[in-house]
Amino acid sequence: MLDYEFRQFIYKNELEEVKRWSRMWGLSEMGFGREKTTYCYFAIASSFSLPYQSDMRLMVAKSAVLITVADDFFDEEGSLHDLTMLTQSIQRWDGKGLKGHSATIFNALDNFVKETSEKYLQEQGHDITRQIREIWCETFEAWLMEAKWSKSGGMPSTEEYLATGMASIATHTIVLPTSCVLDPSFPISKLRPKEYEKLTRLLMLIPRLLNDIQSYQKEKEQGKLNYVLLYLKENPEADIEDSIAHVRNILETKRQELLQHVLLDEFSDLPKLCKLFHLACVKVFQMFFNTSNRYDSNTDMLEDIGKALYMPLNVGFLSLDSIGRDRSLGSRKEFQQVRSALVSPLILRPK
């Protein structure tokens, strides 16, 4: 129980840090799209909660916030001109001339990439700024391509759509840079766009199809492309149930392949911790999209988040604070000293 409450204390402080960062860079007050800061943090804290991996959780949550805001900007808010200008700025990695939401997104992303690269440089002695920028560039190019298809009425094949959609879902954009920080033995060569490991390609494919199964109705109404809908176009004799069943069959096969690559050494030479991180990311998307589109809902996840982060355990034992008042376990002052000694190095870090 003490361990559970201690973890809750850590997670709540980390969530407040992500919220503060999101407000500071203007991401939580864009005025459009989804504000999912809490969802983003809960996703990583609940799926990959190694003790005290604070930096990794904060990196993942910030990445997910950036991706959600930028994806909504490409889907809902930006004109094709604005989206093209922003993507070209990402390609040059120069935000000169950007205004409004485009400038906000670029500046927040630029700061985040610098923060990640500097951390890796300090710890490992190598600069991976270029590699991280290239992954983000690939993601923005995929978002732009999808925006062009939607705005022009373009109709790619299912293969063309997946080639772009696997990048636009942006799972690799989160997992690969974070893997470098998570495990120093992760090879920098694995960050090269379009030459990813089979495990990473599975990580990109499975969440894309999970998302499309639960989002096809909304995206049909919005005039967006979706694998479920494209399959119907290519197979006029099929109905929507046939298309969904087809996608679920693909998912089942690809999940089995993913587990082989994660659990059996002969399928992947990635560090074990990084393989488990790939699996954790897929599990997050299963949590959000396995039976419905929980990520887009403003309420579906609230009970889970409340139980995990805020509600105390009620199992008939003493709470953390009540134990601190128990004289048989030492004075209140002594207890607070021990608690502070444990917490301060982990959470109350100088900025």
Side-chain angles (χ1 to χ4, degrees):
M1 182 173 178
L2 288 174
D3 180 67
Y4 189 88
E5 292 189 6
F6 183 51
R7 285 171 179 264
Q8 281 187 318
F9 179 83
I10 292 174
Y11 294 155
K12 284 186 286 188
N13 276 274
E14 290 177 357
L15 175 56
E16 289 305 311
E17 163 66 12
V18 178
K19 288 181 177 180
R20 183 199 65 79
W21 172 85
S22 185
R23 288 193 300 269
M24 181 177 71
W25 290 101
L27 298 174
S28 61
E29 301 172 355
M30 297 290 274
F32 64 87
R34 300 162 293 178
E35 204 298 293
K36 295 294 181 181
T37 305
T38 301
Y39 277 32
C40 291
Y41 177 76
F42 174 71
I44 181 59
S46 62
S47 64
F48 203 70
S49 54
L50 289 181
Y52 318 138
Q53 289 285 346
S54 179
D55 289 335
M56 186 273 288
R57 287 192 295 272
L58 292 175
M59 283 179 59
V60 171
K62 291 177 182 179
S63 296
V65 170
L66 279 163
I67 288 166
T68 301
V69 171
D71 185 41
D72 286 348
F73 182 61
F74 275 77
D75 283 348
E76 303 175 15
E77 185 71 13
S79 66
L80 191 57
H81 172 75
D82 290 340
L83 303 181
T84 301
M85 291 289 290
L86 176 56
T87 303
Q88 290 174 348
S89 294
I90 296 292
Q91 291 169 333
R92 301 189 309 269
W93 212 268
D94 181 356
K96 185 178 181 180
L98 294 178
K99 299 178 181 179
H101 298 315
S102 295
T104 298
I105 292 169
F106 180 88
N107 291 335
L109 177 58
D110 182 46
N111 172 265
F112 174 71
V113 171
K114 287 178 180 176
E115 180 183 282
T116 304
S117 301
E118 287 172 2
K119 178 174 179 56
Y120 189 81
L121 180 62
Q122 291 173 2
E123 295 183 356
Q124 305 302 325
H126 299 288
D127 187 357
I128 57 173
T129 302
R130 177 180 59 81
Q131 289 88 342
I132 298 178
R133 287 177 175 179
E134 288 176 352
I135 292 175
W136 279 98
C137 181
E138 179 188 32
T139 306
F140 274 82
E141 289 170 349
W143 286 331
L144 179 61
M145 178 58 70
E146 290 181 343
K148 288 180 177 178
W149 284 336
S150 296
K151 294 179 185 297
S152 68
M155 194 64 61
S157 67
T158 51
E159 290 78 12
E160 291 171 327
Y161 168 78
L162 277 184
T164 298
M166 286 169 61
S168 70
I169 198 67
T171 46
H172 68 306
T173 314
I174 295 174
V175 169
L176 293 180
T178 309
S179 291
C180 291
V181 176
L182 182 64
D183 191 325
S185 65
F186 183 84
I188 296 177
S189 61
K190 305 300 184 183
L191 300 178
R192 188 175 297 114
K194 304 188 187 305
E195 296 181 19
Y196 301 121
E197 285 273 313
K198 178 64 179 295
L199 175 57
T200 300
R201 294 199 300 274
L202 290 166
L203 164 76
M204 299 163 72
L205 175 63
I206 294 171
R208 165 49 61 198
L209 294 179
L210 284 168
N211 179 289
D212 283 12
I213 283 180
Q214 302 301 340
S215 303
Y216 72 87
Q217 189 62 48
K218 181 190 75 170
E219 291 174 344
K220 180 180 180 180
E221 295 170 357
Q222 295 176 342
K224 293 177 58 182
L225 296 176
N226 181 291
Y227 188 89
V228 173
L229 302 175
L230 287 173
Y231 181 84
L232 289 177
K233 291 285 186 181
E234 293 184 355
N235 299 272
E237 74 286 356
D239 58 23
I240 192 66
E241 288 77 16
D242 296 328
S243 183
I244 292 174
H246 172 71
V247 176
R248 291 198 183 280
N249 286 335
I250 297 175
L251 278 169
E252 183 59 29
T253 300
K254 297 304 179 183
R255 282 190 183 110
Q256 292 179 19
E257 291 183 29
L258 178 86
L259 289 173
Q260 287 180 327
H261 282 75
V262 170
L263 302 176
L264 302 178
D265 292 339
E266 63 264 29
F267 283 89
S268 175
D269 62 353
L270 290 178
K272 186 66 176 180
L273 197 55
C274 297
K275 292 196 289 187
L276 292 174
F277 188 27
H278 279 67
L279 177 61
C281 185
V282 171
K283 289 164 67 176
V284 165
F285 273 81
Q286 289 183 158
M287 174 179 70
F288 283 138
F289 297 108
N290 206 38
T291 57
S292 64
N293 187 342
R294 303 181 76 195
Y295 191 71
D296 283 356
S297 170
N298 291 325
T299 58
D300 277 4
M301 300 295 298
L302 294 183
E303 184 177 357
D304 291 344
I305 292 170
K307 287 180 178 179
L309 301 184
Y310 297 103
M311 292 178 62
L313 288 177
N314 184 17
V315 293
F317 294 112
L318 295 174
S319 69
L320 190 62
D321 286 326
S322 65
I323 288 178
R325 292 190 294 269
D326 188 336
R327 295 301 179 185
S328 67
L329 297 176
S331 70
R332 177 70 173 175
K333 181 178 180 181
E334 289 170 339
F335 173 76
Q336 292 292 359
Q337 289 174 341
V338 172
R339 178 165 161 169
S340 297
L342 287 171
V343 172
S344 297
L346 302 171
I347 299 302
L348 306 178
R349 306 180 306 278
K351 301 301 176 188

